Amino acid sequence: MSIKLSTAIIPFTLAAALAVSGAGLAADTAVHDHDHGDVPFELQLNDGEKWAIDAPLAKAMGDISLVMRGSIDAIHEDQLPATEYVPLAEQINDSVAYMVENCELPPEADAQLHMVIAQLVTGADKMAGNNVDATPREGAVQVLGALEAYERYFDDPDFVAVIH
């Protein structure tokens, strides 16, 4: 059985994912030490194996990684102006919307993925400047943590990690 979400329920799905995931990834502003904090949500492997993916998920996560890789040096050096985070956040949100609309994962894998999605959406929200308690750079760190979690828990052999 697969789950396909209509765009009308995306906000509810993301809200549920946020509730399940608890607090966001620790947005450590000291990116230079590469410490993204512990992942507070409980992602799990599939009986010791990474979760299977489908083509829409691979495309969306690959696109998000590509967007972040394009700006990683400026983010890492804290040289990316706040206004330049906004289009990155929009691209992340577009990829998440595509992923949610087109992904057809089994329910167990989908539940794991939604914890990653919650971190992507929360990070993108910070990057867009929609969170007065966080900087856009902190949002980028959260997105990077979500990408690392995706790589660790999902079997995507073509995924190119963001090296920082």
Side-chain angles (χ1 to χ4, degrees):
M1 180 177 175
S2 64
I3 296 176
K4 186 161 183 158
L5 300 173
S6 77
T7 55
I9 64 167
I10 290 173
F12 300 109
T13 303
L14 294 176
L18 284 169
V20 169
S21 70
L25 287 174
D28 185 352
T29 59
V31 176
H32 291 281
D33 67 8
H34 303 289
D35 179 13
H36 293 247
D38 293 326
V39 179
F41 50 87
E42 295 291 329
L43 278 170
Q44 299 174 1
L45 292 171
N46 183 12
D47 292 325
E49 302 292 325
K50 290 182 177 185
W51 294 96
I53 63 163
D54 61 9
L57 175 56
K59 178 189 178 342
M61 293 304 287
D63 289 348
I64 293 170
S65 178
L66 179 64
V67 164
M68 294 304 289
R69 288 192 321 267
S71 298
I72 192 63
D73 290 337
I75 293 168
H76 190 266
E77 298 298 324
D78 199 13
Q79 297 298 310
L80 191 66
T83 56
E84 291 188 32
Y85 282 95
V86 174
L88 296 177
E90 290 171 355
Q91 291 175 349
I92 291 165
N93 284 329
D94 288 348
S95 291
V96 168
Y98 171 83
M99 175 190 326
V100 170
E101 187 173 328
N102 294 288
C103 234
E104 294 191 11
L105 296 178
E108 298 83 11
D110 189 65
Q112 296 297 308
L113 176 62
H114 279 273
M115 287 185 256
V116 174
I117 290 172
Q119 299 306 308
L120 291 170
V121 170
T122 303
D125 192 52
K126 292 173 185 175
M127 290 171 68
N130 297 330
N131 184 325
V132 296
D133 296 325
T135 67
R137 187 167 183 253
E138 290 170 334
V141 170
Q142 188 167 3
V143 168
L144 292 170
L147 290 171
E148 290 171 0
Y150 173 76
E151 181 182 28
R152 193 175 317 123
Y153 289 94
F154 290 85
D155 187 17
D156 186 344
D158 297 324
F159 183 74
V160 179
V162 179
I163 306 298
H164 55 100

